[in-house]
Amino acid sequence: TQLLEQSPQFLSIQEGENLTVYCNSSSVFSSLQWYRQEPGEGPVLLVTVVTGGEVKKLKRLTFQFGDARKDSSLHITAAQPGDTGLYLCAGAIQGAQKLVFGQGTRLTINP
Amino acid sequence: EPEVTQTPSHQVTQMGQEVILRCVPISNHLYFYWYRQILGQKVEFLVSFYNNEISEKSEIFDDQFSVERPDGSNFTLKIRSTKLEDSAMYFCASSSTGGGLSMYYEQYFGPGTRLTVT
């Protein structure tokens, strides 16, 4: 059974600070996707990382896929209140069609 | 921008009743999925559908569940006899490629249907 563990589960910081969210597994994934989910809504895809060691940037968000494709991180620089939300990582397993989701990191950015 | 749509947004039903949740995937996508999220828990995979048949399903997807693509645009999830524990958000997703053929594929999710079983 493939599991993805996210840490921390909850994070509350002040506007302007930097933060990193982690997504870890003992399993290898063919790709890993990061989503953001607002209350009562569906997950919205932010980015997909595919290659071990890959780094992708989306404005102030930096996503990295581990060299062994078992873990990933999301780093936010100079966090803003608009970054508040639930961030989910989801791994794709080669040969399968399902995504395996982490439990999410609930991020609160205080003005 | 193309998006996945779902109806209804909220469905309340009595235990033992049948419900049908509807989804319109992104128009040029070929792979369709249902996931559910019980309040406070992880998003869980239920089933994937390709070429008019189920391609993968989880242990959650038992005989009370079924999926169908009745026409060229809709994709439905039927729960035959609802139980209290079926109360959850149900998300439909679609992708243009599937994991079996591609190293990676991006799944796009709809806004969800909140199912409440009383």
Side-chain angles (χ1 to χ4, degrees), chain B residues 42-75:
Chain B
K42 293 183 181 183
V43 176
E44 302 174 287
F45 169 79
L46 292 178
V47 66
S48 60
F49 191 85
Y50 169 71
N51 200 26
N52 277 323
E53 60 182 24
I54 291 173
S55 47
E56 188 177 350
K57 62 181 181 178
S58 72
E59 59 274 12
I60 302 169
F61 194 87
D62 60 22
D63 291 344
Q64 69 162 339
F65 292 94
S66 62
V67 290
E68 190 179 30
R69 187 157 165 81
D71 53 44
S73 60
N74 289 285
F75 179 51

PDB file of all heavy atoms in Angstrom, chain B residues 42-75:
ATOM      1  N   LYS B  42      -8.438  11.948   4.137  1.00  0.00           N
ATOM      2  CA  LYS B  42      -7.749  12.075   2.856  1.00  0.00           C
ATOM      3  C   LYS B  42      -8.715  11.907   1.693  1.00  0.00           C
ATOM      4  O   LYS B  42      -9.762  11.259   1.813  1.00  0.00           O
ATOM      5  CB  LYS B  42      -6.682  10.981   2.723  1.00  0.00           C
ATOM      6  CG  LYS B  42      -5.517  11.070   3.671  1.00  0.00           C
ATOM      7  CD  LYS B  42      -4.515   9.955   3.350  1.00  0.00           C
ATOM      8  CE  LYS B  42      -3.339   9.998   4.303  1.00  0.00           C
ATOM      9  NZ  LYS B  42      -2.316   8.974   3.966  1.00  0.00           N
ATOM     10  N   VAL B  43      -8.326  12.435   0.565  1.00  0.00           N
ATOM     11  CA  VAL B  43      -9.021  12.144  -0.682  1.00  0.00           C
ATOM     12  C   VAL B  43      -8.679  10.704  -1.062  1.00  0.00           C
ATOM     13  O   VAL B  43      -7.501  10.317  -1.084  1.00  0.00           O
ATOM     14  CB  VAL B  43      -8.570  13.104  -1.799  1.00  0.00           C
ATOM     15  CG1 VAL B  43      -9.228  12.730  -3.116  1.00  0.00           C
ATOM     16  CG2 VAL B  43      -8.889  14.547  -1.427  1.00  0.00           C
ATOM     17  N   GLU B  44      -9.723   9.908  -1.345  1.00  0.00           N
ATOM     18  CA  GLU B  44      -9.524   8.483  -1.633  1.00  0.00           C
ATOM     19  C   GLU B  44     -10.018   8.143  -3.035  1.00  0.00           C
ATOM     20  O   GLU B  44     -11.113   8.554  -3.431  1.00  0.00           O
ATOM     21  CB  GLU B  44     -10.329   7.616  -0.659  1.00  0.00           C
ATOM     22  CG  GLU B  44     -10.032   7.807   0.806  1.00  0.00           C
ATOM     23  CD  GLU B  44     -10.997   6.994   1.656  1.00  0.00           C
ATOM     24  OE1 GLU B  44     -12.176   7.379   1.748  1.00  0.00           O
ATOM     25  OE2 GLU B  44     -10.561   5.967   2.231  1.00  0.00           O
ATOM     26  N   PHE B  45      -9.238   7.362  -3.734  1.00  0.00           N
ATOM     27  CA  PHE B  45      -9.611   6.906  -5.074  1.00  0.00           C
ATOM     28  C   PHE B  45     -10.725   5.875  -4.997  1.00  0.00           C
ATOM     29  O   PHE B  45     -10.704   4.976  -4.146  1.00  0.00           O
ATOM     30  CB  PHE B  45      -8.371   6.296  -5.738  1.00  0.00           C
ATOM     31  CG  PHE B  45      -8.633   5.553  -7.009  1.00  0.00           C
ATOM     32  CD1 PHE B  45      -8.829   6.242  -8.196  1.00  0.00           C
ATOM     33  CD2 PHE B  45      -8.677   4.170  -7.025  1.00  0.00           C
ATOM     34  CE1 PHE B  45      -9.046   5.550  -9.386  1.00  0.00           C
ATOM     35  CE2 PHE B  45      -8.896   3.474  -8.196  1.00  0.00           C
ATOM     36  CZ  PHE B  45      -9.081   4.163  -9.381  1.00  0.00           C
ATOM     37  N   LEU B  46     -11.701   6.004  -5.884  1.00  0.00           N
ATOM     38  CA  LEU B  46     -12.759   4.997  -5.991  1.00  0.00           C
ATOM     39  C   LEU B  46     -12.588   4.166  -7.258  1.00  0.00           C
ATOM     40  O   LEU B  46     -12.519   2.938  -7.203  1.00  0.00           O
ATOM     41  CB  LEU B  46     -14.135   5.673  -6.009  1.00  0.00           C
ATOM     42  CG  LEU B  46     -14.593   6.365  -4.729  1.00  0.00           C
ATOM     43  CD1 LEU B  46     -15.953   7.021  -4.954  1.00  0.00           C
ATOM     44  CD2 LEU B  46     -14.666   5.372  -3.588  1.00  0.00           C
ATOM     45  N   VAL B  47     -12.569   4.839  -8.415  1.00  0.00           N
ATOM     46  CA  VAL B  47     -12.623   4.110  -9.673  1.00  0.00           C
ATOM     47  C   VAL B  47     -12.081   4.972 -10.808  1.00  0.00           C
ATOM     48  O   VAL B  47     -12.155   6.199 -10.764  1.00  0.00           O
ATOM     49  CB  VAL B  47     -14.091   3.697  -9.948  1.00  0.00           C
ATOM     50  CG1 VAL B  47     -14.954   4.922 -10.198  1.00  0.00           C
ATOM     51  CG2 VAL B  47     -14.204   2.700 -11.071  1.00  0.00           C
ATOM     52  N   SER B  48     -11.523   4.299 -11.808  1.00  0.00           N
ATOM     53  CA  SER B  48     -11.154   4.982 -13.047  1.00  0.00           C
ATOM     54  C   SER B  48     -11.857   4.297 -14.208  1.00  0.00           C
ATOM     55  O   SER B  48     -12.192   3.099 -14.140  1.00  0.00           O
ATOM     56  CB  SER B  48      -9.643   4.981 -13.260  1.00  0.00           C
ATOM     57  OG  SER B  48      -9.145   3.666 -13.338  1.00  0.00           O
ATOM     58  N   PHE B  49     -12.064   5.030 -15.275  1.00  0.00           N
ATOM     59  CA  PHE B  49     -12.926   4.575 -16.379  1.00  0.00           C
ATOM     60  C   PHE B  49     -12.300   5.036 -17.665  1.00  0.00           C
ATOM     61  O   PHE B  49     -11.957   6.207 -17.831  1.00  0.00           O
ATOM     62  CB  PHE B  49     -14.312   5.206 -16.180  1.00  0.00           C
ATOM     63  CG  PHE B  49     -15.412   4.677 -17.049  1.00  0.00           C
ATOM     64  CD1 PHE B  49     -16.107   3.551 -16.671  1.00  0.00           C
ATOM     65  CD2 PHE B  49     -15.777   5.331 -18.217  1.00  0.00           C
ATOM     66  CE1 PHE B  49     -17.162   3.068 -17.443  1.00  0.00           C
ATOM     67  CE2 PHE B  49     -16.821   4.864 -18.997  1.00  0.00           C
ATOM     68  CZ  PHE B  49     -17.527   3.735 -18.604  1.00  0.00           C
ATOM     69  N   TYR B  50     -12.146   4.097 -18.603  1.00  0.00           N
ATOM     70  CA  TYR B  50     -11.563   4.431 -19.895  1.00  0.00           C
ATOM     71  C   TYR B  50     -12.163   3.532 -20.953  1.00  0.00           C
ATOM     72  O   TYR B  50     -12.368   2.326 -20.727  1.00  0.00           O
ATOM     73  CB  TYR B  50     -10.037   4.251 -19.857  1.00  0.00           C
ATOM     74  CG  TYR B  50      -9.369   4.322 -21.201  1.00  0.00           C
ATOM     75  CD1 TYR B  50      -9.282   5.528 -21.879  1.00  0.00           C
ATOM     76  CD2 TYR B  50      -8.838   3.178 -21.811  1.00  0.00           C
ATOM     77  CE1 TYR B  50      -8.683   5.601 -23.128  1.00  0.00           C
ATOM     78  CE2 TYR B  50      -8.234   3.245 -23.054  1.00  0.00           C
ATOM     79  CZ  TYR B  50      -8.161   4.462 -23.709  1.00  0.00           C
ATOM     80  OH  TYR B  50      -7.567   4.540 -24.938  1.00  0.00           O
ATOM     81  N   ASN B  51     -12.464   4.094 -22.093  1.00  0.00           N
ATOM     82  CA  ASN B  51     -12.966   3.307 -23.228  1.00  0.00           C
ATOM     83  C   ASN B  51     -14.207   2.517 -22.835  1.00  0.00           C
ATOM     84  O   ASN B  51     -14.346   1.339 -23.175  1.00  0.00           O
ATOM     85  CB  ASN B  51     -11.853   2.374 -23.733  1.00  0.00           C
ATOM     86  CG  ASN B  51     -12.093   1.903 -25.144  1.00  0.00           C
ATOM     87  OD1 ASN B  51     -12.771   2.565 -25.929  1.00  0.00           O
ATOM     88  ND2 ASN B  51     -11.548   0.743 -25.475  1.00  0.00           N
ATOM     89  N   ASN B  52     -15.072   3.186 -22.079  1.00  0.00           N
ATOM     90  CA  ASN B  52     -16.372   2.635 -21.682  1.00  0.00           C
ATOM     91  C   ASN B  52     -16.293   1.435 -20.755  1.00  0.00           C
ATOM     92  O   ASN B  52     -17.234   0.619 -20.715  1.00  0.00           O
ATOM     93  CB  ASN B  52     -17.211   2.258 -22.907  1.00  0.00           C
ATOM     94  CG  ASN B  52     -17.931   3.456 -23.483  1.00  0.00           C
ATOM     95  OD1 ASN B  52     -18.384   4.323 -22.734  1.00  0.00           O
ATOM     96  ND2 ASN B  52     -18.021   3.514 -24.790  1.00  0.00           N
ATOM     97  N   GLU B  53     -15.188   1.331 -20.020  1.00  0.00           N
ATOM     98  CA  GLU B  53     -15.148   0.293 -19.016  1.00  0.00           C
ATOM     99  C   GLU B  53     -14.272   0.712 -17.844  1.00  0.00           C
ATOM    100  O   GLU B  53     -13.431   1.607 -17.970  1.00  0.00           O
ATOM    101  CB  GLU B  53     -14.661  -1.036 -19.603  1.00  0.00           C
ATOM    102  CG  GLU B  53     -13.266  -0.992 -20.203  1.00  0.00           C
ATOM    103  CD  GLU B  53     -12.894  -2.335 -20.809  1.00  0.00           C
ATOM    104  OE1 GLU B  53     -13.780  -3.120 -21.180  1.00  0.00           O
ATOM    105  OE2 GLU B  53     -11.677  -2.600 -20.901  1.00  0.00           O
ATOM    106  N   ILE B  54     -14.512   0.057 -16.709  1.00  0.00           N
ATOM    107  CA  ILE B  54     -13.708   0.329 -15.525  1.00  0.00           C
ATOM    108  C   ILE B  54     -12.300  -0.192 -15.765  1.00  0.00           C
ATOM    109  O   ILE B  54     -12.097  -1.346 -16.159  1.00  0.00           O
ATOM    110  CB  ILE B  54     -14.327  -0.342 -14.286  1.00  0.00           C
ATOM    111  CG1 ILE B  54     -15.640   0.354 -13.905  1.00  0.00           C
ATOM    112  CG2 ILE B  54     -13.360  -0.316 -13.121  1.00  0.00           C
ATOM    113  CD1 ILE B  54     -16.407  -0.342 -12.793  1.00  0.00           C
ATOM    114  N   SER B  55     -11.305   0.671 -15.540  1.00  0.00           N
ATOM    115  CA  SER B  55      -9.918   0.268 -15.741  1.00  0.00           C
ATOM    116  C   SER B  55      -9.213  -0.027 -14.424  1.00  0.00           C
ATOM    117  O   SER B  55      -8.228  -0.775 -14.396  1.00  0.00           O
ATOM    118  CB  SER B  55      -9.152   1.337 -16.517  1.00  0.00           C
ATOM    119  OG  SER B  55      -9.397   2.616 -15.984  1.00  0.00           O
ATOM    120  N   GLU B  56      -9.707   0.550 -13.345  1.00  0.00           N
ATOM    121  CA  GLU B  56      -9.131   0.296 -12.034  1.00  0.00           C
ATOM    122  C   GLU B  56     -10.162   0.678 -10.980  1.00  0.00           C
ATOM    123  O   GLU B  56     -10.928   1.619 -11.175  1.00  0.00           O
ATOM    124  CB  GLU B  56      -7.845   1.124 -11.840  1.00  0.00           C
ATOM    125  CG  GLU B  56      -7.055   0.805 -10.598  1.00  0.00           C
ATOM    126  CD  GLU B  56      -5.756   1.605 -10.505  1.00  0.00           C
ATOM    127  OE1 GLU B  56      -5.380   2.267 -11.498  1.00  0.00           O
ATOM    128  OE2 GLU B  56      -5.124   1.572  -9.439  1.00  0.00           O
ATOM    129  N   LYS B  57     -10.198  -0.072  -9.891  1.00  0.00           N
ATOM    130  CA  LYS B  57     -11.098   0.300  -8.800  1.00  0.00           C
ATOM    131  C   LYS B  57     -10.453  -0.053  -7.470  1.00  0.00           C
ATOM    132  O   LYS B  57      -9.596  -0.928  -7.388  1.00  0.00           O
ATOM    133  CB  LYS B  57     -12.453  -0.387  -8.935  1.00  0.00           C
ATOM    134  CG  LYS B  57     -12.416  -1.894  -8.885  1.00  0.00           C
ATOM    135  CD  LYS B  57     -13.820  -2.468  -9.065  1.00  0.00           C
ATOM    136  CE  LYS B  57     -13.782  -3.992  -8.983  1.00  0.00           C
ATOM    137  NZ  LYS B  57     -15.154  -4.578  -9.115  1.00  0.00           N
ATOM    138  N   SER B  58     -10.896   0.652  -6.438  1.00  0.00           N
ATOM    139  CA  SER B  58     -10.376   0.403  -5.105  1.00  0.00           C
ATOM    140  C   SER B  58     -11.294  -0.578  -4.370  1.00  0.00           C
ATOM    141  O   SER B  58     -12.384  -0.904  -4.830  1.00  0.00           O
ATOM    142  CB  SER B  58     -10.269   1.715  -4.322  1.00  0.00           C
ATOM    143  OG  SER B  58     -11.563   2.177  -3.975  1.00  0.00           O
ATOM    144  N   GLU B  59     -10.831  -0.971  -3.188  1.00  0.00           N
ATOM    145  CA  GLU B  59     -11.640  -1.896  -2.386  1.00  0.00           C
ATOM    146  C   GLU B  59     -12.900  -1.216  -1.859  1.00  0.00           C
ATOM    147  O   GLU B  59     -13.854  -1.882  -1.471  1.00  0.00           O
ATOM    148  CB  GLU B  59     -10.799  -2.459  -1.229  1.00  0.00           C
ATOM    149  CG  GLU B  59     -10.235  -1.423  -0.286  1.00  0.00           C
ATOM    150  CD  GLU B  59      -8.916  -0.846  -0.742  1.00  0.00           C
ATOM    151  OE1 GLU B  59      -8.514  -1.064  -1.902  1.00  0.00           O
ATOM    152  OE2 GLU B  59      -8.277  -0.155   0.086  1.00  0.00           O
ATOM    153  N   ILE B  60     -12.909   0.114  -1.868  1.00  0.00           N
ATOM    154  CA  ILE B  60     -14.111   0.841  -1.447  1.00  0.00           C
ATOM    155  C   ILE B  60     -15.222   0.645  -2.471  1.00  0.00           C
ATOM    156  O   ILE B  60     -16.404   0.595  -2.131  1.00  0.00           O
ATOM    157  CB  ILE B  60     -13.813   2.351  -1.325  1.00  0.00           C
ATOM    158  CG1 ILE B  60     -12.681   2.605  -0.337  1.00  0.00           C
ATOM    159  CG2 ILE B  60     -15.052   3.118  -0.924  1.00  0.00           C
ATOM    160  CD1 ILE B  60     -12.169   4.023  -0.372  1.00  0.00           C
ATOM    161  N   PHE B  61     -14.854   0.536  -3.706  1.00  0.00           N
ATOM    162  CA  PHE B  61     -15.811   0.475  -4.824  1.00  0.00           C
ATOM    163  C   PHE B  61     -16.390  -0.933  -4.889  1.00  0.00           C
ATOM    164  O   PHE B  61     -15.972  -1.767  -5.700  1.00  0.00           O
ATOM    165  CB  PHE B  61     -15.115   0.849  -6.130  1.00  0.00           C
ATOM    166  CG  PHE B  61     -16.053   1.133  -7.263  1.00  0.00           C
ATOM    167  CD1 PHE B  61     -16.582   2.402  -7.447  1.00  0.00           C
ATOM    168  CD2 PHE B  61     -16.394   0.133  -8.170  1.00  0.00           C
ATOM    169  CE1 PHE B  61     -17.442   2.671  -8.502  1.00  0.00           C
ATOM    170  CE2 PHE B  61     -17.254   0.391  -9.222  1.00  0.00           C
ATOM    171  CZ  PHE B  61     -17.777   1.656  -9.392  1.00  0.00           C
ATOM    172  N   ASP B  62     -17.374  -1.213  -4.022  1.00  0.00           N
ATOM    173  CA  ASP B  62     -17.971  -2.545  -3.993  1.00  0.00           C
ATOM    174  C   ASP B  62     -19.231  -2.583  -4.855  1.00  0.00           C
ATOM    175  O   ASP B  62     -19.476  -1.672  -5.654  1.00  0.00           O
ATOM    176  CB  ASP B  62     -18.259  -2.956  -2.547  1.00  0.00           C
ATOM    177  CG  ASP B  62     -19.216  -2.012  -1.838  1.00  0.00           C
ATOM    178  OD1 ASP B  62     -19.983  -1.307  -2.532  1.00  0.00           O
ATOM    179  OD2 ASP B  62     -19.193  -1.973  -0.598  1.00  0.00           O
ATOM    180  N   ASP B  63     -20.022  -3.627  -4.693  1.00  0.00           N
ATOM    181  CA  ASP B  63     -21.164  -3.866  -5.589  1.00  0.00           C
ATOM    182  C   ASP B  63     -22.248  -2.791  -5.497  1.00  0.00           C
ATOM    183  O   ASP B  63     -23.128  -2.747  -6.361  1.00  0.00           O
ATOM    184  CB  ASP B  63     -21.776  -5.234  -5.294  1.00  0.00           C
ATOM    185  CG  ASP B  63     -20.853  -6.364  -5.701  1.00  0.00           C
ATOM    186  OD1 ASP B  63     -19.905  -6.097  -6.478  1.00  0.00           O
ATOM    187  OD2 ASP B  63     -21.068  -7.501  -5.257  1.00  0.00           O
ATOM    188  N   GLN B  64     -22.229  -1.978  -4.474  1.00  0.00           N
ATOM    189  CA  GLN B  64     -23.264  -0.948  -4.374  1.00  0.00           C
ATOM    190  C   GLN B  64     -22.947   0.252  -5.273  1.00  0.00           C
ATOM    191  O   GLN B  64     -23.787   1.116  -5.486  1.00  0.00           O
ATOM    192  CB  GLN B  64     -23.434  -0.476  -2.927  1.00  0.00           C
ATOM    193  CG  GLN B  64     -22.281   0.322  -2.366  1.00  0.00           C
ATOM    194  CD  GLN B  64     -22.681   1.127  -1.123  1.00  0.00           C
ATOM    195  OE1 GLN B  64     -23.860   1.395  -0.901  1.00  0.00           O
ATOM    196  NE2 GLN B  64     -21.705   1.531  -0.325  1.00  0.00           N
ATOM    197  N   PHE B  65     -21.724   0.307  -5.789  1.00  0.00           N
ATOM    198  CA  PHE B  65     -21.314   1.398  -6.656  1.00  0.00           C
ATOM    199  C   PHE B  65     -21.299   0.954  -8.112  1.00  0.00           C
ATOM    200  O   PHE B  65     -20.962  -0.196  -8.418  1.00  0.00           O
ATOM    201  CB  PHE B  65     -19.900   1.883  -6.302  1.00  0.00           C
ATOM    202  CG  PHE B  65     -19.771   2.560  -4.962  1.00  0.00           C
ATOM    203  CD1 PHE B  65     -19.402   1.833  -3.841  1.00  0.00           C
ATOM    204  CD2 PHE B  65     -19.995   3.923  -4.828  1.00  0.00           C
ATOM    205  CE1 PHE B  65     -19.267   2.453  -2.605  1.00  0.00           C
ATOM    206  CE2 PHE B  65     -19.856   4.557  -3.601  1.00  0.00           C
ATOM    207  CZ  PHE B  65     -19.495   3.815  -2.486  1.00  0.00           C
ATOM    208  N   SER B  66     -21.627   1.879  -8.990  1.00  0.00           N
ATOM    209  CA  SER B  66     -21.453   1.621 -10.412  1.00  0.00           C
ATOM    210  C   SER B  66     -21.194   2.951 -11.115  1.00  0.00           C
ATOM    211  O   SER B  66     -21.551   4.017 -10.600  1.00  0.00           O
ATOM    212  CB  SER B  66     -22.676   0.924 -11.023  1.00  0.00           C
ATOM    213  OG  SER B  66     -23.823   1.741 -10.914  1.00  0.00           O
ATOM    214  N   VAL B  67     -20.533   2.868 -12.255  1.00  0.00           N
ATOM    215  CA  VAL B  67     -20.268   4.064 -13.053  1.00  0.00           C
ATOM    216  C   VAL B  67     -20.738   3.826 -14.470  1.00  0.00           C
ATOM    217  O   VAL B  67     -20.809   2.691 -14.950  1.00  0.00           O
ATOM    218  CB  VAL B  67     -18.775   4.457 -13.061  1.00  0.00           C
ATOM    219  CG1 VAL B  67     -18.340   4.988 -11.701  1.00  0.00           C
ATOM    220  CG2 VAL B  67     -17.884   3.296 -13.487  1.00  0.00           C
ATOM    221  N   GLU B  68     -21.035   4.944 -15.135  1.00  0.00           N
ATOM    222  CA  GLU B  68     -21.555   4.847 -16.480  1.00  0.00           C
ATOM    223  C   GLU B  68     -21.231   6.131 -17.219  1.00  0.00           C
ATOM    224  O   GLU B  68     -21.150   7.201 -16.631  1.00  0.00           O
ATOM    225  CB  GLU B  68     -23.078   4.648 -16.415  1.00  0.00           C
ATOM    226  CG  GLU B  68     -23.730   4.291 -17.714  1.00  0.00           C
ATOM    227  CD  GLU B  68     -25.225   4.077 -17.567  1.00  0.00           C
ATOM    228  OE1 GLU B  68     -25.839   4.706 -16.692  1.00  0.00           O
ATOM    229  OE2 GLU B  68     -25.780   3.297 -18.346  1.00  0.00           O
ATOM    230  N   ARG B  69     -21.038   5.975 -18.525  1.00  0.00           N
ATOM    231  CA  ARG B  69     -20.926   7.143 -19.395  1.00  0.00           C
ATOM    232  C   ARG B  69     -22.091   7.028 -20.372  1.00  0.00           C
ATOM    233  O   ARG B  69     -21.954   6.439 -21.437  1.00  0.00           O
ATOM    234  CB  ARG B  69     -19.586   7.158 -20.103  1.00  0.00           C
ATOM    235  CG  ARG B  69     -19.312   8.415 -20.904  1.00  0.00           C
ATOM    236  CD  ARG B  69     -17.818   8.601 -21.075  1.00  0.00           C
ATOM    237  NE  ARG B  69     -17.465   9.558 -22.107  1.00  0.00           N
ATOM    238  CZ  ARG B  69     -17.455  10.870 -21.948  1.00  0.00           C
ATOM    239  NH1 ARG B  69     -17.799  11.404 -20.794  1.00  0.00           N
ATOM    240  NH2 ARG B  69     -17.089  11.669 -22.934  1.00  0.00           N
ATOM    241  N   PRO B  70     -23.244   7.558 -19.993  1.00  0.00           N
ATOM    242  CA  PRO B  70     -24.480   7.317 -20.762  1.00  0.00           C
ATOM    243  C   PRO B  70     -24.505   7.998 -22.128  1.00  0.00           C
ATOM    244  O   PRO B  70     -25.246   7.572 -23.011  1.00  0.00           O
ATOM    245  CB  PRO B  70     -25.566   7.877 -19.845  1.00  0.00           C
ATOM    246  CG  PRO B  70     -24.872   8.887 -18.992  1.00  0.00           C
ATOM    247  CD  PRO B  70     -23.480   8.376 -18.794  1.00  0.00           C
ATOM    248  N   ASP B  71     -23.695   9.038 -22.273  1.00  0.00           N
ATOM    249  CA  ASP B  71     -23.642   9.728 -23.560  1.00  0.00           C
ATOM    250  C   ASP B  71     -22.234  10.269 -23.743  1.00  0.00           C
ATOM    251  O   ASP B  71     -21.336   9.914 -22.982  1.00  0.00           O
ATOM    252  CB  ASP B  71     -24.704  10.837 -23.631  1.00  0.00           C
ATOM    253  CG  ASP B  71     -24.598  11.789 -22.445  1.00  0.00           C
ATOM    254  OD1 ASP B  71     -23.467  12.174 -22.099  1.00  0.00           O
ATOM    255  OD2 ASP B  71     -25.625  12.119 -21.848  1.00  0.00           O
ATOM    256  N   GLY B  72     -22.030  11.136 -24.729  1.00  0.00           N
ATOM    257  CA  GLY B  72     -20.682  11.601 -25.010  1.00  0.00           C
ATOM    258  C   GLY B  72     -20.127  12.625 -24.055  1.00  0.00           C
ATOM    259  O   GLY B  72     -18.959  12.989 -24.164  1.00  0.00           O
ATOM    260  N   SER B  73     -20.953  13.066 -23.096  1.00  0.00           N
ATOM    261  CA  SER B  73     -20.441  14.124 -22.232  1.00  0.00           C
ATOM    262  C   SER B  73     -20.541  13.808 -20.752  1.00  0.00           C
ATOM    263  O   SER B  73     -19.708  14.240 -19.975  1.00  0.00           O
ATOM    264  CB  SER B  73     -21.167  15.441 -22.530  1.00  0.00           C
ATOM    265  OG  SER B  73     -22.554  15.294 -22.300  1.00  0.00           O
ATOM    266  N   ASN B  74     -21.540  13.037 -20.333  1.00  0.00           N
ATOM    267  CA  ASN B  74     -21.743  12.816 -18.902  1.00  0.00           C
ATOM    268  C   ASN B  74     -21.022  11.563 -18.405  1.00  0.00           C
ATOM    269  O   ASN B  74     -20.832  10.589 -19.140  1.00  0.00           O
ATOM    270  CB  ASN B  74     -23.239  12.682 -18.609  1.00  0.00           C
ATOM    271  CG  ASN B  74     -23.957  13.995 -18.759  1.00  0.00           C
ATOM    272  OD1 ASN B  74     -23.850  14.870 -17.918  1.00  0.00           O
ATOM    273  ND2 ASN B  74     -24.687  14.141 -19.869  1.00  0.00           N
ATOM    274  N   PHE B  75     -20.655  11.618 -17.132  1.00  0.00           N
ATOM    275  CA  PHE B  75     -20.052  10.475 -16.453  1.00  0.00           C
ATOM    276  C   PHE B  75     -20.718  10.414 -15.087  1.00  0.00           C
ATOM    277  O   PHE B  75     -20.758  11.408 -14.372  1.00  0.00           O
ATOM    278  CB  PHE B  75     -18.536  10.700 -16.345  1.00  0.00           C
ATOM    279  CG  PHE B  75     -17.774   9.610 -15.639  1.00  0.00           C
ATOM    280  CD1 PHE B  75     -17.932   8.275 -15.991  1.00  0.00           C
ATOM    281  CD2 PHE B  75     -16.871   9.914 -14.641  1.00  0.00           C
ATOM    282  CE1 PHE B  75     -17.220   7.279 -15.354  1.00  0.00           C
ATOM    283  CE2 PHE B  75     -16.153   8.928 -13.993  1.00  0.00           C
ATOM    284  CZ  PHE B  75     -16.330   7.606 -14.352  1.00  0.00           C
TER     285      PHE B  75
END
